[in-house]
Amino acid sequence: TDMAHLISAMLGRRPWTGAHPHHLHEQNGRAEEEEARESHKSTAPSLSVRSLRVGAKLADVSFDVHPGEILGIVGLAGSGRTTLVRTLFGDIRPGGGEILWRGQKYRPASPEDAMRRGVFLIPEDRGIHGLVLMKSIVENLMVVTLKRLSGLLGFLRYADGRDQARAMVKALDVRASGIDQTVGELSGGNQQKVVLAKALALGADLLLLDEPTFGVDIGASREIIAYVRKMAEQGTTVIWVSSDLLEITHVADRVVVLRDGVVGATIRRSDRQSFTEDALVEMMQRTQFQHVVAGLEASHAAG
């Protein structure tokens, strides 16, 4: 057999059930879709990462992201995907390299510092790092805007916070009995919508998403994808990490493939032969596959 046949056997053929990335009607045609997807090329990068190093996880990572662009990040487990977004969010300190955000050097001291600069992470494990499950929807949403809702003497404008929570719940169609319902009682999809609502309440300019549709039903997944795309169309810079490669090919404008802590490939949507689930799997596996082949050849030679 060969790599292509193995990948095909692993993946099968799955129909895409998510949201249409640009909500375009069929009659608009492919040309308009491609024009919308490529429009970010004419703008300067909002985020530039150069030779980023983080411990043993990231060795030399460089890429740019533009305003209104969704950059997909894929890679095998241990490739450094989560480490990358946690570093951008100030949760992990880099060992070297440079990050520029809006043309300025960017090295957040903490997640709080990152949020002050308009950066927000929707983490891989929402129940541990994204939400306080025993608290209400309104309390979870107010966490990110406490300073904004506090007056000069430190008193919390609780009524304003409740109004904000109602607006966020309505905008994202969070299915709940009300803003006072405990977040732990919500479905996984509605919990993820609350995390996204926190980013919306913060007014995030750089949105980092780590497996945002994992453990989420199809309906909620469609809504999350559609809303993130809407944020991108309004100028938000988006980095979308996912192990669902079919999802990535329908959501992202470009894809960066991480392999062993370095950028193994960068693919644009216009590269039609490479911008597929099968091709991404092969790119992710290539280094490891070559190591296995080399090992087998050495073993055979020794035998």
Side-chain angles (χ1 to χ4, degrees), residues 121-155:
L121 169 67
I122 294 182
E124 184 176 15
D125 193 331
R126 59 180 171 268
I128 295 177
H129 300 118
L131 297 165
V132 183
L133 294 178
M134 70 286 298
K135 295 294 185 180
S136 67
I137 295 173
V138 62
E139 289 171 309
N140 272 271
L141 292 179
M142 287 175 64
V143 164
V144 296
T145 55
L146 280 176
K147 290 186 177 179
R148 191 185 306 167
L149 293 170
S150 299
L152 294 176
L153 299 178
F155 292 105

Side-chain angles (χ1 to χ4, degrees), residues 7-303:
I7 292 171
S8 179
M10 288 165 57
L11 294 177
R13 296 273 67 83
R14 298 182 293 152
W16 172 242
T17 57
H20 192 289
H22 281 283
H23 319 292
L24 298 177
H25 297 294
E26 291 295 327
Q27 62 267 29
N28 288 347
R30 185 175 298 275
E32 185 174 341
E33 179 180 340
E34 292 299 331
E35 182 181 351
R37 286 190 174 276
E38 299 296 328
S39 61
H40 60 78
K41 287 183 179 179
S42 61
T43 61
S46 49
L47 178 72
S48 295
V49 176
R50 295 288 178 268
S51 302
L52 183 64
R53 301 188 304 279
V54 182
K57 285 292 187 179
L58 299 178
D60 184 7
V61 172
S62 300
F63 61 87
D64 292 326
V65 200
H66 298 76
E69 181 182 19
I70 297 180
L71 179 71
I73 305 287
V74 301
L76 298 174
S79 62
R81 302 172 307 176
T82 295
T83 298
L84 173 60
V85 290
R86 287 181 61 193
T87 301
L88 293 174
F89 192 52
D91 193 32
I92 297 177
R93 298 290 286 173
E98 183 179 61
I99 305 172
L100 297 177
W101 170 232
R102 296 172 173 170
Q104 302 294 321
K105 287 187 177 181
Y106 172 77
R107 184 172 284 202
S110 65
E112 183 182 16
D113 184 22
M115 287 190 288
R116 278 197 297 266
R117 302 175 190 224
V119 180
F120 191 83
L121 169 67
I122 294 182
E124 184 176 15
D125 193 331
R126 59 180 171 268
I128 295 177
H129 300 118
L131 297 165
V132 183
L133 294 178
M134 70 286 298
K135 295 294 185 180
S136 67
I137 295 173
V138 62
E139 289 171 309
N140 272 271
L141 292 179
M142 287 175 64
V143 164
V144 296
T145 55
L146 280 176
K147 290 186 177 179
R148 191 185 306 167
L149 293 170
S150 299
L152 294 176
L153 299 178
F155 292 105
L156 184 65
R157 298 194 303 276
Y158 199 65
D160 290 347
R162 293 181 65 82
D163 289 342
Q164 171 189 269
R166 291 189 190 95
M168 297 299 100
V169 166
K170 182 178 180 180
L172 288 163
D173 193 22
V174 178
R175 311 293 171 83
S177 60
I179 61 173
D180 293 308
Q181 184 173 1
T182 301
V183 167
E185 298 173 353
L186 303 178
S187 68
N190 284 297
Q191 287 182 4
Q192 193 72 320
K193 288 182 186 179
V194 174
V195 184
L196 184 56
K198 291 168 68 176
L200 183 61
L202 182 69
D205 292 318
L206 172 58
L207 181 61
L208 311 168
L209 304 106
D210 193 358
E211 302 286 2
T213 61
F214 179 76
V216 172
D217 65 84
I218 291 176
S221 175
R222 287 176 177 173
E223 292 172 327
I224 290 167
I225 291 170
Y227 205 87
V228 172
R229 171 53 65 185
K230 182 178 178 181
M231 293 177 68
E233 289 172 349
Q234 294 172 348
T236 302
T237 304
V238 179
I239 294 181
W240 186 297
V241 173
S242 180
S243 54
D244 187 333
L245 302 182
L246 183 61
E247 175 183 273
I248 280 288
T249 62
H250 283 80
V251 172
D253 301 310
R254 283 186 302 129
V255 175
V256 166
V257 180
L258 289 182
R259 291 200 302 255
D260 302 323
V262 300
V263 175
T266 302
I267 309 103
R268 295 184 180 277
R269 175 162 294 278
S270 55
D271 302 332
R272 299 190 186 282
Q273 290 186 337
S274 300
F275 212 85
T276 67
E277 195 177 7
D278 293 28
L280 289 175
V281 171
E282 184 170 1
M283 290 177 199
M284 288 162 50
Q285 295 278 359
R286 189 171 295 155
T287 302
Q288 287 78 4
F289 183 68
Q290 289 170 349
H291 288 169
V292 170
V293 171
L296 288 173
E297 291 176 345
S299 176
H300 291 159

